[in-house]
Amino acid sequence: MKRKNVIALISMSLVIYALFAACKPNITEQNTVVAGKGQAKYVFLFIGDGMSMSQISSAEIFSTARSSKDIAVTRLGFSQFPVLGMVTTYDAGTFITDSASAGTSIATGKKTLSGVINMDTGKTQEFKPITEYIHEAGMKVGIVSTVTLNHATPASFYAKAPSRSNYYDIAVQLAKSDFDYYGGGSLLQHAGRNGDQQSAIEIAKANGFTYVDSKDVFNSLKPGAGKVLAISPVLQDDGAMKYEIDRKPGELSIVDYTRKGIELLDNPKGFFFMIEGGKIDWASHANDAGAVIHDVLALDAAINVALDFAKKHPKETLIVVTGDHETGGMTIGFAGTQYETFFDKVALQTRSYVAFDDEVLKPYKAGTPAGAAKLADLLPEIKKSFGIDFDTLTAFQKQQIEFAFQRSMGNEQVRSFAEDIYVLYGGYEPLTVKLTQMMNQSAGIGWTSYSHTGVPVPAFASGAHQEIFGGYYDNTDMYRKLASVMNLKVQ
Ligand SMILES: [Zn+2]
């Protein structure tokens, strides 16, 4: 048989195998098949936190087809990957997972409860993440996140914790780890909840990490730098990197942290590099489609950097792009716009919800005496930030914004409608979330939640052994698939 035919036969068997496997209710051990010989030496795992198809499709529509009459859609780099799978995300306690249990599933192949990182549901037994096997095999390990590096998703690749909120403990585990490159957001509570413990950054330095928090030093890092902990010089909410929509030209981005990571991790034994677009989730929680879309596009740009690397090692590089769950119940289509979309409205947005809070709303509140606040004062900034022209709104829309403004200003009379407040604003600044929702709805984008949802997420794969990532499987299978492509003997 010719080599091509052999490959075709193997691929076909895999497809049949995957179809057969998908029929079984409990998907566990069957995905340890290695497609063909050899090893994926350079493995990229990109995780869009909170990213499912609506976040991805919105970025595609935004990029190429903003008018509802223009139905041309150009794919993102990663949504053109040759292999697509769908991944279930439920955890041991709920159909709607959080990032801790979802990260545990991907990193260890085991289900646990929401909030738990790489431990069993009883929070006594520790699970060994895939990165430890990878490190033992002599490959380097890199971890990047746009949110804090001790947040649940990145933590799942180096830590074990009964609670994702044990930020200090997780930061210390990062500091004591022997992985090669950490980059992106800061370490939340690095000196403990009360700031009275030894800084995890100091512990990291003592453990041989080069700590970098300036752009010039970051840019000058060269291969052979040893273990690196690189934190963005510019931080935004809760120590995360800025939203892409708020990032100023020249400020370091997820693309820079990915490019530098490749430079530092590249070695003859190979590497595993997990890169998280963490703020896709945060923006989706806040129902801010503009911030979501710009962060998905930034993740895509980082993936393109990995693709450039793959061109140099086409047979040995694998790139997988997935989400850990969907956030916000985002969809394309809203009752008020029926079959129409107007993504040109999203293009008018110039700030994330966080930047509007920080740069407009908080200073206004601080500088305005009680009782003197007027919505009219903010209308120019509202137009500049979200493209909303108040005068053109319906009476109902104007009333909703006025109501939210009053609540943001602490009007006690408005606060008496408490039972509806969570559904209306989800714990965000009422005015800000009402503005993003209203702009999103007018663009034809709907939201159902301020939390995560239980829909599956896609997994796109390109490169060595890409074919085993096709089909419909569980997030725990992602672990076994990744282990098999790297020839790791895992439990
Ligand atoms: Zn989330």
Side-chain angles (χ1 to χ4, degrees):
M1 229 185 307
K2 280 182 189 164
R3 193 160 169 267
K4 260 189 179 171
N5 292 342
V6 174
I7 292 169
L9 191 70
I10 292 170
S11 311
M12 210 161 73
S13 332
L14 277 166
V15 169
I16 292 166
Y17 194 68
L19 285 172
F20 170 70
C23 299
K24 297 203 303 187
N26 290 315
I27 302 171
T28 50
E29 300 298 331
Q30 76 279 24
N31 286 305
T32 49
V33 168
V34 176
K37 287 178 183 164
Q39 176 193 350
K41 243 167 87 174
Y42 309 103
V43 178
F44 293 86
L45 176 62
F46 287 90
I47 299 179
D49 202 307
M51 182 179 83
S52 189
M53 280 316 300
S54 293
Q55 284 78 7
I56 296 165
S57 296
S58 294
E60 291 180 334
I61 295 172
F62 176 83
S63 300
T64 55
R66 293 179 187 177
S67 140
S68 71
K69 300 287 175 259
D70 176 8
I71 55 162
V73 171
T74 299
R75 297 282 183 82
L76 304 180
F78 72 84
S79 60
Q80 298 178 57
F81 279 9
V83 172
L84 171 63
M86 287 300 285
V87 185
T88 49
T89 65
Y90 63 90
D91 70 21
T94 167
F95 277 109
I96 301 176
T97 187
D98 82 329
S99 289
S101 53
T104 298
S105 292
I106 296 168
T108 72
K110 295 184 175 68
K111 297 279 191 196
T112 191
L113 298 174
S114 291
V116 180
I117 292 171
N118 295 345
M119 294 185 80
D120 70 338
T121 54
K123 303 174 193 177
T124 52
Q125 188 197 340
E126 294 186 342
F127 300 151
K128 180 173 172 176
I130 193 165
T131 39
E132 289 185 24
Y133 293 101
I134 292 166
H135 184 67
E136 285 164 13
M139 296 165 75
K140 291 196 175 189
V141 174
I143 293 168
V144 158
S145 176
T146 54
V147 298
T148 37
L149 290 170
N150 52 347
H151 212 259
T153 304
S156 303
F157 290 87
Y158 64 81
K160 291 138 194 167
S163 168
R164 59 183 287 173
S165 308
N166 297 353
Y167 289 111
Y168 178 68
D169 173 44
I170 295 168
V172 170
Q173 291 187 53
L174 181 154
K176 291 183 174 171
S177 76
D178 212 13
F179 296 158
D180 302 277
Y181 175 70
Y182 293 94
S186 66
L187 286 169
L188 193 62
Q189 298 176 9
H190 66 90
R193 202 160 275 151
N194 306 315
D196 55 0
Q197 313 239 40
Q198 188 188 6
S199 167
I201 291 167
E202 296 308 318
I203 297 172
K205 286 181 192 166
N207 188 35
F209 277 97
T210 300
Y211 174 71
V212 181
D213 62 358
S214 88
K215 186 181 162 186
D216 288 345
V217 179
F218 177 78
N219 284 337
S220 68
L221 287 169
K222 288 275 175 296
K227 299 196 291 184
V228 168
L229 169 57
I231 286 178
S232 172
V234 183
L235 299 169
Q236 197 175 33
D237 42 345
D238 286 333
M241 288 173 67
K242 275 188 176 177
Y243 280 105
E244 184 65 17
I245 194 173
D246 300 326
R247 191 175 60 83
K248 294 196 170 57
E251 290 176 349
L252 293 174
S253 73
I254 187 172
V255 173
D256 298 305
Y257 283 96
T258 303
R259 186 179 289 119
K260 184 57 76 180
I262 293 171
E263 209 184 316
L264 300 180
L265 294 169
D266 193 4
N267 79 100
K269 287 195 159 181
F271 61 75
F272 172 82
F273 195 4
M274 193 289 292
I275 297 119
E276 186 204 22
K279 295 189 92 175
I280 297 165
D281 173 69
W282 292 15
S284 294
H285 276 284
N287 295 180
D288 182 347
V292 168
I293 286 168
H294 287 278
D295 269 42
V296 171
L297 293 174
L299 184 71
D300 188 46
I303 294 163
N304 285 338
V305 174
L307 278 167
D308 285 341
F309 174 84
K311 283 176 195 150
K312 287 184 235 160
H313 306 275
K315 289 187 178 149
E316 298 165 304
T317 306
L318 170 70
I319 306 172
V320 177
V321 184
T322 190
D324 56 348
H325 53 74
E326 198 275 345
T327 302
M330 186 187 197
T331 199
I332 298 165
F334 170 66
T337 47
Q338 299 180 30
Y339 291 88
E340 301 285 313
T341 50
F342 305 95
F343 274 51
D344 47 336
K345 291 181 192 261
V346 183
L348 299 175
Q349 183 173 346
T350 57
R351 282 187 174 107
S352 71
Y353 73 100
V354 168
F356 183 80
D357 283 350
D358 289 348
E359 294 163 18
V360 179
L361 197 53
K362 280 180 196 161
Y364 180 74
K365 270 204 243 184
T368 310
K374 296 191 303 292
L375 177 61
D377 296 340
L378 291 180
L379 292 180
E381 284 294 341
I382 288 173
K383 186 168 184 185
K384 193 176 137 197
S385 305
F386 301 110
I388 294 174
D389 185 347
F390 191 76
D391 294 336
T392 64
L393 299 179
T394 65
F396 178 59
Q397 288 173 319
K398 285 178 179 172
Q399 193 185 29
Q400 283 180 291
I401 290 183
E402 182 65 47
F403 188 92
F405 172 77
Q406 291 298 336
R407 185 164 169 82
S408 272
M409 292 304 130
N411 184 320
E412 287 306 314
Q413 213 181 345
V414 176
R415 281 177 193 274
S416 65
F417 295 94
E419 68 270 27
D420 298 326
I421 294 302
Y422 180 79
V423 172
L424 284 172
Y425 311 123
Y428 292 92
E429 270 295 349
L431 177 64
T432 314
V433 77
K434 190 47 63 190
L435 290 169
T436 57
Q437 284 172 343
M438 195 171 285
M439 187 273 277
N440 290 188
Q441 290 170 353
S442 69
I445 296 168
W447 298 95
T448 65
S449 180
Y450 304 101
S451 303
H452 301 171
T453 69
V455 298
V457 291
F460 300 87
S462 175
H465 304 293
Q466 61 187 25
E467 60 283 349
I468 72 163
F469 291 88
Y472 187 28
Y473 48 93
D474 187 59
N475 57 4
T476 50
D477 289 316
M478 186 61 80
Y479 166 78
R480 277 175 278 278
K481 288 171 189 290
L482 289 168
S484 77
V485 302
M486 288 180 270
N487 282 348
L488 301 171
K489 305 265 178 294
V490 298
Q491 288 163 356

